[in-house]
Amino acid sequence: MATAKPSSLLSATLASGSSLVLLQLFSRVVTFVLNQALVRIVSPQVFGTTSIQFELLLSTILFLSREGVRNALLRAPSSARSSLDQTATARLVANISLLPILLGIPTAIISAFVYLGTSSMATSSQPHFRESVILYVLAAFFELLSEPMYIRTQNELRFHVRVRAEGTAVMLKTITTFLVLVGAPDNWALIAFALGQAAYGLTMLLSFVVACSDNLDFRPKRVTVSRKDHTETLLFEPSLFRLSVAMTGQSLIKHFLTEGDKFLVSRLSPLADQGGYAVAANYGSLIARIVFQPIEETARVFFSKALSASETSDTKSPGQSKEALQTAATVLLTLLLAFTHLFLLAVTFGPPYLSLAISLILPRKYLATSAPSILHVYVYYIPMMAFNGVLEAFLASAASPADLRAQSRWMLIFSGAFIGAAVGLARGLGMGDAGLVWANVANLTLRAMYAWSFVRRYFRGRNAVDLVGWRRAVPPLPVLTAFCTAGVVVRASAKTYANVPLNLVAQRWHLATGVASILGCLLTCILFERKTVLRLVNPLRKMR
């Protein structure tokens, strides 16, 4: 469990990131194709129950049980006490990795009973509702059983194990769900989704068992360590255990902020609109899940290892510490610069062409739901997900327990603001479910701003604040001007074609205008940002 150098760590995490992007591309394309078929087979009510309520139940069990421990143990190699040898540290970390299973049992039982007890009559009266809930809880427990093996493979940088496991699990989930829907009676629709999720969880568990078959002894064992004047017996590595407790305590607030829209939709909206919300979320977040989720997870791994290396080497090798900080800052700013371009691209070309895209991909029976209005808001929601994801990945990787407590206090404030904004926009201003997404945009913006302030404080405390100047994450003025000009052009074109039928032939010149404008923006970026990109990327190239 020795600390990796920034260069080798960066290479490993970049390989991990590309693998995870390919995994998400595969899994999301398969899921997208399946959903295109499913939304035409099942009713919006069934789709809303499974994709909003059952998925919320599943994510609640998993997130509250494992997220804090999982993030804390990413720091395992460099958080261990220097007086402990490698074998003792590995055993103590393995003990902590069992906590998600112990937390998962009461969390699953409580969550299931609360959900069953608070479900509306329209939801609970659906055929095989209770059996489906039990299967989703069982699926969650299968995944939790694999958590100790997942943590081991992540800390050993064996990212291919997860890629292979999730790829296989997604495929079996897809096949199982589709076959049961097609072959079973119509009243088995909920069971079909539940069996698919159970197949996913079981496949994940078996895949990790095979990958870790050389050592499956995860029984908790105490370790006796020698101190200067005494010996003591430990069950958990103390600093990692405290960090795990702090992050797990924070996960309840963070989970509500992450899934708050689903909480409110499941309580405030009828089942048909929940189905529309689920379809819009599946389509709207497709790019986010394919690209941004792997980037966020990879960044969390990299920042955890690199910043831990910086802290460890601070007194032993100031040069190595400075190198780790510079590499972390370069990676962070490169990602933020890329996401700024994404934001410009989305707000410039999204609104003028989204209505055409919706008419082409959205099933007709969902056009009368809240799905179209929600998809229009996703133009702004997706870039904010990207910004917040990578900034909070840095915060989670560098924060001390005291930092996490401070963040939790602010997140409580953000939670109150989110609830007020969501209810006010959705009900007070009559924006419906789209108002919930707008509230989430505001929530993500506040969280990203807080995380950025933490980044600045972190580097300032190490006399390296000059490494994270915000101007390095913003394109130059000619690029901003090009996007503004393109935005005016495509919106004028959209106004001209406002009464033209929404099909590719009738809108061909409007599409041609968009393509020409995108090419103009791309050419401007190449001309004016080549030096900026090279300045950010060159330090990474030198480490290869």
Side-chain angles (χ1 to χ4, degrees):
M1 298 178 67
T3 302
K5 291 182 178 180
S7 56
S8 59
L9 176 59
L10 181 60
S11 299
T13 49
L14 286 176
S16 164
S18 61
S19 298
L20 289 177
V21 168
L22 291 175
L23 167 65
Q24 290 295 333
L25 177 61
F26 165 76
S27 63
R28 295 305 163 186
V29 167
V30 170
T31 304
F32 179 78
V33 173
L34 173 66
N35 285 337
Q36 285 290 83
L38 294 183
V39 296
R40 288 164 172 80
I41 296 174
V42 302
S43 66
Q45 288 80 1
V46 169
F47 202 74
T49 302
T50 58
S51 298
I52 296 293
Q53 300 192 24
F54 287 175
E55 288 293 328
L56 181 57
L57 172 64
L58 180 72
S59 66
T60 297
I61 296 170
L62 294 177
F63 195 91
L64 298 184
S65 301
R66 74 186 184 188
E67 196 68 16
V69 175
R70 176 179 285 189
N71 289 336
L73 292 190
L74 286 176
R75 308 190 199 181
S78 56
S79 294
R81 293 182 178 182
S82 59
S83 58
L84 302 182
D85 61 27
Q86 184 172 328
T87 303
T89 299
R91 184 69 261 171
L92 295 175
V93 169
N95 291 342
I96 297 177
S97 71
L98 295 172
L99 292 179
I101 300 176
L102 300 178
L103 289 172
I105 296 173
T107 302
I109 294 174
I110 294 172
S111 299
F113 273 106
V114 169
Y115 174 59
L116 289 171
T118 58
S119 297
S120 66
M121 183 62 67
T123 301
S124 60
S125 61
Q126 296 177 91
H128 304 295
F129 172 74
R130 290 181 178 274
E131 295 91 333
S132 300
V133 171
I134 293 172
L135 283 172
Y136 265 85
V137 171
L138 184 63
F141 197 63
F142 284 150
E143 287 197 57
L144 290 176
L145 286 175
S146 68
E147 191 64 15
M149 293 170 281
Y150 171 91
I151 290 173
R152 177 194 292 178
T153 56
Q154 287 290 103
N155 278 328
E156 293 173 355
L157 302 182
R158 294 163 58 193
F159 302 115
H160 65 279
V161 174
R162 176 191 171 183
V163 172
R164 184 169 57 243
E166 287 193 9
T168 305
V170 166
M171 181 60 71
L172 289 179
K173 174 184 176 179
T174 302
I175 294 172
T176 302
T177 305
F178 188 77
L179 288 180
V180 176
L181 275 176
V182 173
D186 292 343
N187 61 358
W188 276 58
L190 292 182
I191 288 288
F193 285 92
L195 287 173
Q197 190 62 49
Y200 178 93
L202 184 58
T203 303
M204 289 288 288
L205 174 59
L206 294 177
S207 298
F208 278 102
V209 166
V210 171
C212 298
S213 58
D214 58 320
N215 182 12
L216 292 174
D217 183 9
F218 285 95
R219 293 173 298 175
K221 297 178 182 178
R222 292 186 176 272
V223 176
T224 301
V225 297
S226 298
R227 302 300 184 190
K228 292 182 179 180
D229 54 354
H230 69 285
T231 61
E232 60 181 301
T233 302
L234 300 176
L235 185 60
F236 304 120
E237 201 288 315
S239 61
L240 287 177
F241 179 72
R242 289 193 296 269
L243 191 62
S244 298
V245 171
M247 287 188 166
T248 299
Q250 188 191 63
S251 63
L252 180 62
I253 304 171
K254 190 171 182 179
H255 179 59
F256 177 77
L257 286 175
T258 302
E259 302 285 4
D261 55 337
K262 290 184 179 179
F263 277 112
L264 295 176
V265 165
S266 66
R267 296 300 173 219
L268 301 178
S269 301
L271 276 178
D273 274 350
Q274 290 183 39
Y277 194 96
V279 169
N282 282 331
Y283 289 156
S285 63
L286 191 63
I287 295 177
R289 293 179 185 274
I290 290 175
V291 179
F292 303 141
Q293 183 179 339
I295 289 176
E296 178 183 343
E297 293 177 3
T298 304
R300 188 179 291 115
V301 173
F302 171 75
F303 290 141
S304 294
K305 308 299 184 185
L307 297 176
S308 294
S310 170
E311 298 297 329
T312 302
S313 60
D314 189 37
T315 56
K316 297 179 181 179
S317 175
Q320 184 179 348
S321 173
K322 185 70 173 180
E323 179 189 7
L325 286 173
Q326 184 170 5
T327 305
T330 300
V331 170
L332 178 63
L333 291 173
T334 301
L335 291 174
L336 292 178
L337 180 62
F339 294 158
T340 304
H341 285 82
L342 166 74
F343 176 77
L344 292 173
L345 190 67
V347 299
T348 300
F349 299 100
Y353 292 96
L354 197 56
S355 296
L356 175 61
I358 289 173
S359 69
L360 295 176
I361 66 173
L362 199 64
R364 187 171 297 276
K365 62 183 175 182
Y366 285 90
L367 293 175
T369 67
S370 57
S373 61
I374 292 170
L375 284 170
H376 279 87
V377 187
Y378 261 81
V379 169
Y380 307 93
Y381 182 53
I382 291 174
M384 289 315 304
M385 286 177 64
F387 282 118
N388 179 71
V390 71
L391 286 169
E392 285 199 344
F394 186 97
L395 192 154
S397 303
S400 66
D403 294 324
L404 292 174
R405 287 193 293 271
Q407 186 194 20
S408 295
R409 290 192 291 269
W410 278 101
M411 290 177 78
L412 279 173
I413 298 174
F414 297 158
S415 297
F418 168 73
I419 295 173
V423 175
L425 293 174
R427 293 292 180 262
L429 297 181
M431 298 176 65
D433 291 343
L436 300 180
V437 187
W438 276 118
N440 240 340
V441 173
N443 164 44
L444 289 173
T445 303
L446 290 174
R447 289 167 59 183
M449 291 170 62
Y450 180 85
W452 174 250
S453 69
F454 172 83
V455 170
R456 296 280 295 175
R457 290 197 308 272
Y458 181 86
F459 280 90
R460 185 181 297 113
R462 287 149 184 81
N463 297 318
V465 71
D466 56 303
L467 295 178
V468 287
W470 65 269
R471 292 183 182 277
R472 296 171 62 188
V474 177
L477 183 60
V479 172
L480 298 176
T481 303
F483 275 100
C484 289
T485 303
V488 172
V489 171
V490 294
R491 281 162 175 76
S493 177
K495 187 175 182 180
T496 302
Y497 283 83
N499 298 319
V500 176
L502 292 174
N503 61 70
L504 293 176
V505 175
Q507 298 267 341
R508 61 187 181 278
W509 292 113
H510 179 43
L511 286 171
T513 302
V515 171
S517 299
I518 289 177
L519 291 176
C521 292
L522 179 61
L523 180 61
T524 305
C525 291
I526 294 174
L527 290 175
F528 289 94
E529 292 194 273
R530 184 172 178 273
K531 291 182 179 180
T532 302
V533 173
L534 288 177
R535 187 175 67 248
L536 289 170
V537 174
N538 275 340
L540 305 183
R541 285 180 174 175
K542 293 176 182 178
M543 295 180 183
R544 297 193 174 204

